[in-house]
């Protein structure tokens, strides 16, 4: 009786975090905020390695919105204050300029998310982005539509997951359990899912 209950518990836990490929691929959406050290940890210790191993099978999407609140006057309040808001805006603009190359998007975010976290255009410059175009997006209303897009795509998920970085796979319903499992062990989750799909050709997870 007791072992049956334990068995059922284990089944329900593993089902809760089961990840599956879609046509042999996995989409990973990461909701970030600039001054969040957990996001630094996730990008540096988990996402980069997973991407370097399995980039052929991955679509990575960043949503630099975090726990940003929109005030009644339309202004934004960010979890870590004004600098967090500014850097998130830089991230949205730079990622938009890098769209079409997710490897370069990840390189940019890997450059940004290091300790100590700072506010500058250094990483954009290192990526070779046109800083006049970037600054125009950041400082004028030209970048406002990127705010709206990130906000629309993030708010409901952050409410459910209630942790930054918030991680969602394959545009699934957001789940705190899945997100926390990915935060702890992204590489293994991705590898297990790829290995379970014969069309990927991935068959060992070390
Ligand atoms: C993306 O950028 C990398 C350099 O970071 C380059 O090697 C690669 O060819 C680019 N891919 C595309 C699709 O442009």
């Amino acid at each position: 009786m007791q072992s049956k209950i334990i068995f059922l518990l284990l089944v329900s836990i593993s089902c809760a975090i089961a990840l599956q490929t879609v046509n042999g691929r996995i989409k990973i959406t990461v909701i970030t905020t600039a001054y969040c050290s957990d996001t630094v940890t996730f990008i540096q210790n988990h996402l980069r390695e997973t991407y370097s191993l399995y980039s052929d099978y991955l679509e990575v999407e960043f949503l630099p919105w975090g726990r940003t609140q929109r005030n009644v006057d339309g202004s934004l309040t960010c979890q870590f204050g004004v600098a967090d808001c500014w850097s998130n805006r830089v991230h949205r603009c730079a990622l938009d300029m890098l769209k079409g190359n997710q490897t370069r998007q990840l390189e940019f975010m890997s450059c940004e998310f290091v300790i100590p976290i700072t506010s500058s255009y250094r990483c954009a410059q290192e990526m070779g982005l046109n800083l006049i175009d970037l600054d125009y997006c950041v400082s004028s209303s030209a970048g406002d539509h990127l705010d709206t897009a990130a906000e629309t795509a993030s708010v409901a998920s952050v409410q459910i997951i209630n942790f930054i970085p918030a991680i969602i796979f394959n545009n699934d319903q957001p789940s705190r359990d899945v997100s926390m499992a990915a935060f702890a062990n992204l590489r293994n989750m991705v590898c297990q899912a790829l290995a379970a799909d014969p069309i990927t050709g991935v068959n060992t997870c070390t």
Side-chain angles (χ1 to χ4, degrees):
M1 183 62 189
Q2 202 175 5
S3 67
K4 197 173 186 178
I5 290 170
I6 290 168
F7 172 76
L8 286 173
L9 271 174
L10 287 174
V11 167
S12 61
I13 289 167
S14 59
C15 286
I17 58 165
L19 169 63
Q20 289 184 331
T21 54
V22 177
N23 300 322
R25 296 175 61 82
I26 296 168
K27 178 176 176 184
I28 308 174
T29 300
V30 189
I31 302 174
T32 60
T33 204
Y35 277 74
C36 167
S37 60
D38 286 325
T39 305
V40 174
T41 303
F42 178 71
I43 290 177
Q44 299 302 339
N45 298 357
H46 297 278
L47 187 59
R48 290 180 67 178
E49 183 192 28
T50 304
Y51 190 80
S52 73
L53 290 168
Y54 305 116
S55 61
D56 290 352
Y57 312 100
L58 300 179
E59 180 189 340
V60 178
E61 172 187 44
F62 292 102
L63 294 173
W65 189 258
R67 298 180 189 273
T68 302
Q69 307 278 330
R70 189 176 288 276
N71 306 311
V72 280
D73 66 357
S75 64
L76 304 179
T77 299
C78 299
Q79 186 178 1
F80 300 101
V82 172
D84 197 33
C85 275
W86 187 83
S87 292
N88 284 342
R89 175 99 170 188
V90 171
H91 296 172
R92 292 190 289 272
C93 287
L95 290 167
D96 186 58
M97 292 170 76
L98 293 166
K99 70 184 168 207
N101 193 325
Q102 64 172 5
T103 301
R104 283 178 43 88
Q105 289 186 331
L106 180 60
E107 283 170 7
F108 170 73
M109 293 297 264
S110 300
C111 176
E112 286 284 320
F113 281 88
V114 292
I115 304 287
I117 299 163
T118 54
S119 303
S120 77
Y121 287 148
R122 179 182 62 84
C123 292
Q125 184 160 28
E126 278 180 20
M127 295 302 297
L129 293 180
N130 181 321
L131 297 188
I132 293 171
D133 291 350
L134 178 63
D135 191 57
Y136 181 67
C137 174
V138 170
S139 311
S140 77
S141 59
D144 288 359
H145 70 287
L146 301 173
D147 295 358
T148 314
E151 177 179 24
T152 304
S154 304
V155 170
S157 299
V158 170
Q159 232 160 39
I160 292 166
I161 293 169
N162 196 24
F163 187 84
I164 304 295
I167 302 148
I168 301 131
F169 293 105
N170 299 326
N171 299 324
D172 288 346
Q173 279 295 108
S175 152
R176 182 174 166 99
D177 288 347
V178 170
S179 185
M180 296 313 292
F183 178 66
N185 199 352
L186 179 73
R187 186 189 70 178
N188 194 49
M189 271 178 89
V190 165
C191 185
Q192 298 292 343
L194 294 173
D197 180 347
I199 72 171
T200 65
V202 173
N203 42 42
T204 51
C205 299
T206 51

